[in-house]
Protein backbone atom coordinates (compact mmCIF):
# COMPACT_ATOMS: atom_id res chain seq x y z
CA UNK A 1 0.00 0.00 0.00
CA UNK A 2 1.50 3.25 -1.00
CA UNK A 3 0.90 6.73 -2.26
CA UNK A 4 2.77 7.39 -5.47
CA UNK A 5 3.79 11.00 -5.95
CA UNK A 6 4.82 11.94 -9.45
CA UNK A 7 6.01 15.39 -10.51
CA UNK A 8 8.05 16.56 -13.42
CA UNK A 9 11.16 16.31 -11.29
CA UNK A 10 10.84 13.27 -9.04
CA UNK A 11 9.05 10.07 -8.05
CA UNK A 12 8.76 8.70 -4.59
CA UNK A 13 6.75 6.14 -2.62
CA UNK A 14 5.47 6.86 0.87
CA UNK A 15 3.90 4.34 3.26
CA UNK A 16 0.40 4.99 4.51
CA UNK A 17 -2.50 3.06 5.96
CA UNK A 18 -4.71 2.88 2.87
CA UNK A 19 -4.46 1.29 -0.54
CA UNK A 20 -4.13 4.42 -2.63
CA UNK A 21 -2.32 5.73 -5.65
CA UNK A 22 -1.69 9.44 -6.01
CA UNK A 23 -0.43 11.74 -8.71
CA UNK A 24 0.96 15.08 -7.59
CA UNK A 25 1.20 17.91 -10.08
CA UNK A 26 3.11 21.02 -9.08
CA UNK A 27 1.16 24.16 -9.72
CA UNK A 28 4.29 26.26 -10.29
CA UNK A 29 5.68 25.87 -13.82
CA UNK A 30 8.53 23.37 -14.03
CA UNK A 31 9.42 23.68 -10.35
CA UNK A 32 10.60 27.24 -10.61
CA UNK A 33 13.88 27.78 -8.83
CA UNK A 34 13.16 31.43 -7.99
CA UNK A 35 14.61 31.74 -4.44
CA UNK A 36 11.92 34.27 -3.54
CA UNK A 37 9.30 31.52 -3.60
CA UNK A 38 8.61 30.08 -0.16
CA UNK A 39 7.79 26.43 0.55
CA UNK A 40 4.16 27.41 1.11
CA UNK A 41 3.96 29.05 -2.32
CA UNK A 42 5.36 25.85 -3.87
CA UNK A 43 2.14 23.97 -3.08
CA UNK A 44 1.10 21.03 -5.18
CA UNK A 45 -2.28 19.38 -5.67
CA UNK A 46 -2.27 15.60 -5.26
CA UNK A 47 -4.86 13.32 -6.84
CA UNK A 48 -5.46 10.61 -4.25
CA UNK A 49 -7.21 7.42 -5.44
CA UNK A 50 -8.74 5.38 -2.61
CA UNK A 51 -10.57 2.04 -2.64
CA UNK A 52 -14.13 2.33 -1.35
CA UNK A 53 -14.21 0.92 2.19
CA UNK A 54 -10.60 1.78 2.96
CA UNK A 55 -9.43 3.76 5.98
CA UNK A 56 -7.73 7.04 5.14
CA UNK A 57 -5.15 8.63 7.43
CA UNK A 58 -3.15 11.40 5.78
CA UNK A 59 -0.94 13.63 7.97
CA UNK A 60 -0.73 17.28 7.06
CA UNK A 61 2.66 18.34 5.79
CA UNK A 62 4.30 21.61 6.63
CA UNK A 63 4.48 23.67 9.77
CA UNK A 64 0.91 23.28 10.98
CA UNK A 65 1.45 20.98 13.92
CA UNK A 66 -1.43 20.43 16.29
CA UNK A 67 -3.07 23.68 15.21
CA UNK A 68 -3.58 22.50 11.62
CA UNK A 69 -7.06 21.85 10.24
CA UNK A 70 -8.37 19.96 7.22
CA UNK A 71 -11.14 21.44 5.06
CA UNK A 72 -13.36 19.79 2.45
CA UNK A 73 -14.27 22.02 -0.47
CA UNK A 74 -13.47 25.05 1.70
CA UNK A 75 -15.55 23.93 4.71
CA UNK A 76 -14.10 22.69 8.02
CA UNK A 77 -13.85 18.88 7.92
CA UNK A 78 -12.08 17.65 11.03
CA UNK A 79 -9.71 19.28 13.54
CA UNK A 80 -6.15 18.13 13.90
CA UNK A 81 -3.25 17.59 11.51
CA UNK A 82 -4.41 14.13 10.28
CA UNK A 83 -7.10 13.69 7.64
CA UNK A 84 -8.98 10.68 8.99
CA UNK A 85 -11.80 8.77 7.23
CA UNK A 86 -12.65 5.37 8.70
CA UNK A 87 -14.63 3.94 5.79
CA UNK A 88 -14.18 5.86 2.54
CA UNK A 89 -17.26 6.11 0.33
CA UNK A 90 -18.05 7.75 -2.99
CA UNK A 91 -19.56 10.67 -1.08
CA UNK A 92 -16.11 11.50 0.34
CA UNK A 93 -14.90 12.63 -3.07
CA UNK A 94 -13.70 16.22 -3.02
CA UNK A 95 -10.94 18.77 -2.65
CA UNK A 96 -9.24 18.59 0.75
CA UNK A 97 -6.93 21.32 1.99
CA UNK A 98 -4.84 21.53 5.16
CA UNK A 99 -4.38 24.93 6.80
CA UNK A 100 -2.14 26.13 9.61
CA UNK A 101 -3.44 27.82 12.77
CA UNK A 102 -3.32 31.22 11.05
CA UNK A 103 -5.14 29.91 7.93
CA UNK A 104 -2.16 29.51 5.61
CA UNK A 105 -2.49 26.75 3.04
CA UNK A 106 -0.10 23.86 3.75
CA UNK A 107 -1.34 21.00 1.58
CA UNK A 108 -3.96 20.26 -1.12
CA UNK A 109 -5.25 16.91 -2.30
CA UNK A 110 -8.19 15.75 -4.38
CA UNK A 111 -9.66 12.55 -2.94
CA UNK A 112 -11.19 10.15 -5.50
CA UNK A 113 -12.78 7.03 -3.96
CA UNK A 114 -13.54 4.19 -6.36
CA UNK A 115 -13.21 0.51 -7.10
CA UNK A 116 -10.41 -1.66 -8.47
CA UNK A 117 -11.21 -3.31 -11.81
CA UNK A 118 -13.70 -6.19 -11.64
CA UNK A 119 -14.51 -9.06 -13.98
CA UNK A 120 -15.95 -7.62 -17.21
CA UNK A 121 -19.11 -8.70 -19.01
CA UNK A 122 -17.99 -9.30 -22.60
CA UNK A 123 -20.17 -10.06 -25.60
CA UNK A 124 -19.25 -10.45 -29.27
CA UNK A 125 -21.17 -10.54 -32.53
CA UNK A 126 -20.26 -10.49 -36.20
CA UNK A 127 -22.25 -7.88 -38.15
CA UNK A 128 -19.36 -7.73 -40.63
CA UNK A 129 -19.22 -11.47 -41.41
CA UNK A 130 -17.10 -13.00 -42.91
CA UNK A 131 -14.41 -10.35 -42.33
CA UNK A 132 -14.82 -8.84 -38.88
CA UNK A 133 -16.48 -9.30 -35.50
CA UNK A 134 -17.22 -6.65 -32.89
CA UNK A 135 -16.84 -7.14 -29.14
CA UNK A 136 -18.07 -4.89 -26.35
CA UNK A 137 -17.79 -4.97 -22.58
CA UNK A 138 -19.22 -3.43 -19.43
CA UNK A 139 -18.07 -3.33 -15.83
CA UNK A 140 -20.11 -3.55 -12.62
CA UNK A 141 -19.71 -1.70 -10.44
CA UNK A 142 -18.36 1.18 -12.49
CA UNK A 143 -14.84 1.86 -11.18
CA UNK A 144 -15.57 5.60 -10.77
CA UNK A 145 -11.87 6.15 -11.50
CA UNK A 146 -9.87 6.78 -14.68
CA UNK A 147 -9.72 3.31 -16.24
CA UNK A 148 -7.85 2.17 -19.33
CA UNK A 149 -8.97 -0.88 -21.31
CA UNK A 150 -6.64 -2.94 -23.51
CA UNK A 151 -8.14 -5.62 -25.77
CA UNK A 152 -6.29 -8.35 -27.66
CA UNK A 153 -7.53 -11.45 -29.47
CA UNK A 154 -6.38 -14.74 -30.95
CA UNK A 155 -7.56 -18.19 -32.03
CA UNK A 156 -7.63 -20.26 -28.83
CA UNK A 157 -5.59 -19.36 -25.74
CA UNK A 158 -2.35 -20.78 -27.19
CA UNK A 159 -2.18 -18.62 -30.31
CA UNK A 160 -0.49 -15.29 -30.77
CA UNK A 161 -2.73 -12.43 -29.69
CA UNK A 162 -3.24 -9.26 -31.76
CA UNK A 163 -4.54 -5.81 -30.76
CA UNK A 164 -8.28 -5.37 -31.12
CA UNK A 165 -9.04 -2.13 -33.01
CA UNK A 166 -10.99 0.44 -30.94
CA UNK A 167 -14.20 1.90 -32.37
CA UNK A 168 -13.78 5.69 -31.98
CA UNK A 169 -17.52 6.39 -31.98
CA UNK A 170 -18.40 3.66 -29.45
CA UNK A 171 -17.17 3.39 -25.88
CA UNK A 172 -15.90 -0.04 -24.80
CA UNK A 173 -16.06 -1.54 -28.32
CA UNK A 174 -13.38 -3.02 -30.56
CA UNK A 175 -13.18 -4.82 -33.92
CA UNK A 176 -11.23 -8.01 -34.65
CA UNK A 177 -10.49 -9.81 -37.90
CA UNK A 178 -11.95 -13.29 -38.31
CA UNK A 179 -11.35 -16.29 -40.56
CA UNK A 180 -14.08 -17.99 -42.58
CA UNK A 181 -15.32 -21.40 -41.39
CA UNK A 182 -13.06 -21.35 -38.36
CA UNK A 183 -13.59 -24.35 -36.09
CA UNK A 184 -11.52 -23.20 -33.12
CA UNK A 185 -13.03 -20.59 -30.83
CA UNK A 186 -12.02 -16.97 -31.08
CA UNK A 187 -10.65 -15.65 -27.77
CA UNK A 188 -10.60 -12.01 -26.67
CA UNK A 189 -8.74 -10.74 -23.60
CA UNK A 190 -9.83 -7.37 -22.18
CA UNK A 191 -7.63 -5.93 -19.41
CA UNK A 192 -8.92 -3.08 -17.25
CA UNK A 193 -6.31 -0.96 -15.45
CA UNK A 194 -6.87 1.90 -13.04
CA UNK A 195 -4.92 3.42 -10.11
CA UNK A 196 -6.16 0.66 -7.79
CA UNK A 197 -5.12 -2.34 -9.86
CA UNK A 198 -5.55 -4.39 -13.02
CA UNK A 199 -7.72 -7.33 -14.06
CA UNK A 200 -8.05 -9.38 -17.25
CA UNK A 201 -11.20 -11.03 -18.59
CA UNK A 202 -11.07 -13.79 -21.23
CA UNK A 203 -14.09 -14.51 -23.44
CA UNK A 204 -14.31 -17.13 -26.20
CA UNK A 205 -16.90 -17.63 -28.94
CA UNK A 206 -17.48 -19.55 -32.18
CA UNK A 207 -17.66 -17.04 -35.01
CA UNK A 208 -20.49 -18.76 -36.93
CA UNK A 209 -22.65 -18.75 -33.80
CA UNK A 210 -22.00 -15.04 -33.29
CA UNK A 211 -23.04 -13.94 -36.78
CA UNK A 212 -25.69 -11.25 -36.37
CA UNK A 213 -26.22 -8.64 -39.09
CA UNK A 214 -27.05 -5.06 -38.29
CA UNK A 215 -30.66 -4.09 -39.07
CA UNK A 216 -31.57 -3.30 -42.69
CA UNK A 217 -31.46 0.37 -43.69
CA UNK A 218 -33.34 2.79 -45.95
CA UNK A 219 -36.70 1.24 -45.18
CA UNK A 220 -39.49 2.99 -47.11
CA UNK A 221 -43.24 2.37 -47.09
CA UNK A 222 -45.44 3.78 -49.86
CA UNK A 223 -48.95 3.17 -51.12
CA UNK A 224 -49.42 2.10 -54.73
CA UNK A 225 -52.81 0.39 -54.81
CA UNK A 226 -55.88 0.49 -52.58
CA UNK A 227 -55.40 -1.27 -49.24
CA UNK A 228 -51.77 -2.07 -50.05
CA UNK A 229 -48.40 -0.77 -48.87
CA UNK A 230 -45.16 -1.35 -50.77
CA UNK A 231 -42.18 -1.96 -48.46
CA UNK A 232 -38.59 -1.62 -49.67
CA UNK A 233 -35.21 -1.76 -47.87
CA UNK A 234 -31.47 -2.18 -48.32
CA UNK A 235 -28.98 -4.53 -46.62
CA UNK A 236 -26.94 -3.07 -43.76
CA UNK A 237 -23.73 -1.35 -44.97
CA UNK A 238 -21.70 -3.38 -42.46
CA UNK A 239 -22.63 -6.62 -44.26
CA UNK A 240 -19.65 -6.66 -46.57
CA UNK A 241 -20.57 -9.32 -49.14
CA UNK A 242 -24.35 -9.71 -49.67
CA UNK A 243 -23.73 -11.41 -53.04
CA UNK A 244 -21.78 -14.41 -51.75
CA UNK A 245 -23.38 -14.33 -48.30
CA UNK A 246 -27.01 -13.46 -49.05
CA UNK A 247 -29.38 -12.31 -46.34
CA UNK A 248 -32.93 -13.40 -45.70
CA UNK A 249 -35.42 -10.80 -44.48
CA UNK A 250 -38.54 -10.73 -42.35
CA UNK A 251 -41.10 -7.92 -42.18
CA UNK A 252 -43.05 -6.98 -39.07
CA UNK A 253 -46.06 -4.68 -39.23
CA UNK A 254 -48.80 -3.62 -36.86
CA UNK A 255 -51.62 -1.14 -36.42
CA UNK A 256 -52.03 0.39 -32.97
CA UNK A 257 -50.51 -1.96 -30.37
CA UNK A 258 -47.17 -3.65 -31.09
CA UNK A 259 -48.51 -6.75 -29.36
CA UNK A 260 -50.72 -7.27 -32.41
CA UNK A 261 -47.69 -7.28 -34.76
CA UNK A 262 -47.55 -9.85 -37.56
CA UNK A 263 -44.39 -11.24 -39.15
CA UNK A 264 -44.04 -12.15 -42.80
CA UNK A 265 -41.20 -13.85 -44.63
CA UNK A 266 -38.46 -14.81 -44.98
CA UNK A 267 -37.80 -12.99 -48.27
CA UNK A 268 -34.73 -13.22 -50.47
CA UNK A 269 -35.59 -9.99 -52.25
CA UNK A 270 -35.47 -6.49 -50.78
CA UNK A 271 -39.11 -5.54 -51.22
CA UNK A 272 -42.61 -6.90 -50.59
CA UNK A 273 -46.27 -5.80 -50.53
CA UNK A 274 -48.57 -5.69 -47.51
CA UNK A 275 -52.12 -6.47 -48.64
CA UNK A 276 -55.68 -6.33 -47.32
CA UNK A 277 -54.97 -3.39 -45.04
CA UNK A 278 -57.59 -1.25 -43.33
CA UNK A 279 -58.31 2.08 -45.12
CA UNK A 280 -57.50 5.08 -42.95
CA UNK A 281 -55.31 3.07 -40.57
CA UNK A 282 -51.67 3.90 -39.85
CA UNK A 283 -49.29 0.96 -39.91
CA UNK A 284 -45.80 0.68 -38.40
CA UNK A 285 -43.35 -1.41 -40.42
CA UNK A 286 -39.92 -2.85 -39.49
CA UNK A 287 -37.50 -5.23 -41.22
CA UNK A 288 -34.89 -7.67 -39.87
CA UNK A 289 -32.12 -9.66 -41.59
CA UNK A 290 -30.35 -12.98 -41.08
CA UNK A 291 -27.60 -14.85 -42.87
CA UNK A 292 -29.00 -17.61 -45.04
CA UNK A 293 -27.03 -20.37 -43.29
CA UNK A 294 -25.60 -19.36 -39.90
CA UNK A 295 -26.06 -17.06 -36.93
CA UNK A 296 -28.82 -15.00 -35.44
CA UNK A 297 -31.41 -12.64 -36.80
CA UNK A 298 -30.72 -8.91 -36.56
CA UNK A 299 -32.64 -6.50 -34.42
CA UNK A 300 -35.59 -4.82 -36.07
CA UNK A 301 -34.92 -1.74 -38.17
CA UNK A 302 -36.10 1.69 -37.07
CA UNK A 303 -39.92 1.85 -37.31
CA UNK A 304 -41.44 3.52 -40.37
CA UNK A 305 -45.14 4.44 -40.42
CA UNK A 306 -47.55 4.99 -43.29
CA UNK A 307 -51.29 5.61 -43.51
CA UNK A 308 -53.46 3.64 -45.91
CA UNK A 309 -55.48 6.18 -47.89
CA UNK A 310 -58.87 5.18 -49.31
CA UNK A 311 -58.87 5.11 -53.12
Amino acid sequence: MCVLLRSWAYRMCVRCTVRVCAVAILLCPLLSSDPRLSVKENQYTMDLYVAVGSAVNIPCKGEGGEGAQWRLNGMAFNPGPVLSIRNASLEDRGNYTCHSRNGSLLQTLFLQPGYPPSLLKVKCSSPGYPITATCSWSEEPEPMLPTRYTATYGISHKSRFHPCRPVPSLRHHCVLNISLFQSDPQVINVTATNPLGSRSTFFSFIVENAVKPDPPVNVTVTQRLARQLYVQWAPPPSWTDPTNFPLMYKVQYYHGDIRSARELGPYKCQSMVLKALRPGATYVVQVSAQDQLVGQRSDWSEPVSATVLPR
Side-chain angles (χ1 to χ4, degrees):
M1 297 185 181
C2 65
V3 177
L4 301 182
L5 304 181
R6 293 190 299 179
S7 71
W8 295 293
Y10 64 90
R11 293 185 179 182
M12 60 183 297
C13 183
V14 182
R15 293 183 180 178
C16 62
T17 61
V18 294
R19 184 188 179 194
V20 295
C21 180
V23 179
I25 302 177
L26 297 189
L27 297 181
C28 55
L30 296 178
L31 290 175
S32 172
S33 59
D34 189 333
R36 293 173 298 178
L37 292 177
S38 69
V39 173
K40 294 181 181 179
E41 289 173 313
N42 250 327
Q43 290 297 326
Y44 56 80
T45 297
M46 181 172 63
D47 287 326
L48 190 64
Y49 302 103
V50 183
V52 169
S54 295
V56 177
N57 291 284
I58 305 294
C60 181
K61 297 181 179 180
E63 305 169 0
E66 293 298 325
Q69 181 189 58
W70 283 94
R71 301 176 187 176
L72 171 59
N73 299 326
M75 304 294 293
F77 180 71
N78 66 272
V82 178
L83 172 61
S84 180
I85 302 174
R86 291 185 178 181
N87 190 355
S89 68
L90 297 177
E91 288 71 26
D92 292 317
R93 176 187 176 94
N95 191 59
Y96 291 79
T97 54
C98 182
H99 300 261
S100 65
R101 188 189 302 271
N102 62 10
S104 298
L105 179 63
L106 300 176
Q107 187 176 353
T108 301
L109 64 86
F110 188 74
L111 186 68
Q112 298 189 58
Y115 301 95
S118 59
L119 197 65
L120 303 174
K121 294 182 178 179
V122 181
K123 58 181 181 179
C124 298
S125 63
S126 181
Y129 185 79
I131 297 177
T132 62
T134 301
C135 293
S136 62
W137 56 89
S138 60
E139 188 170 4
E140 294 181 4
E142 281 285 339
M144 308 303 294
L145 299 174
T147 303
R148 177 172 56 88
Y149 298 93
T150 304
T152 57
Y153 70 95
I155 300 174
S156 79
H157 290 272
K158 298 180 181 180
S159 69
R160 179 183 177 185
F161 274 50
H162 307 277
C164 193
R165 301 193 307 275
V167 181
S169 59
L170 295 174
R171 187 169 178 257
H172 298 172
H173 284 67
C174 73
V175 175
L176 52 149
N177 296 327
I178 58 177
S179 300
L180 189 60
F181 305 127
Q182 179 180 296
S183 59
D184 292 327
Q186 193 82 49
V187 179
I188 181 170
N189 170 26
V190 185
T191 300
T193 304
N194 70 23
L196 298 182
S198 178
R199 185 164 186 177
S200 294
T201 302
F202 288 87
F203 179 79
S204 61
F205 64 99
I206 300 297
V207 171
E208 275 66 33
N209 295 340
V211 174
K212 183 180 180 181
D214 286 328
V217 298
N218 301 332
V219 179
T220 59
V221 183
T222 56
Q223 183 171 357
R224 293 187 175 180
L225 298 174
R227 303 184 64 189
Q228 295 184 5
L229 290 175
Y230 179 71
V231 184
Q232 194 172 19
W233 59 87
S238 55
W239 195 255
T240 55
D241 193 355
T243 301
N244 293 316
F245 297 86
L247 294 172
M248 303 292 288
Y249 302 94
K250 283 193 174 184
V251 175
Q252 169 181 273
Y253 73 102
Y254 59 92
H255 162 59
D257 194 338
I258 192 173
R259 290 176 294 182
S260 64
R262 294 184 58 191
E263 288 187 16
L264 301 176
Y267 301 99
K268 290 184 178 180
C269 56
Q270 297 172 24
S271 64
M272 57 85 65
V273 178
L274 297 174
K275 300 179 179 180
L277 302 177
R278 181 185 303 174
T282 298
Y283 287 86
V284 177
V285 181
Q286 295 172 283
V287 186
S288 69
Q290 185 173 6
D291 180 82
Q292 198 169 21
L293 298 176
V294 298
Q296 312 164 44
R297 193 167 66 171
S298 75
D299 296 332
W300 291 106
S301 63
E302 290 295 320
V304 177
S305 60
T307 301
V308 179
L309 302 176
R311 294 193 177 185

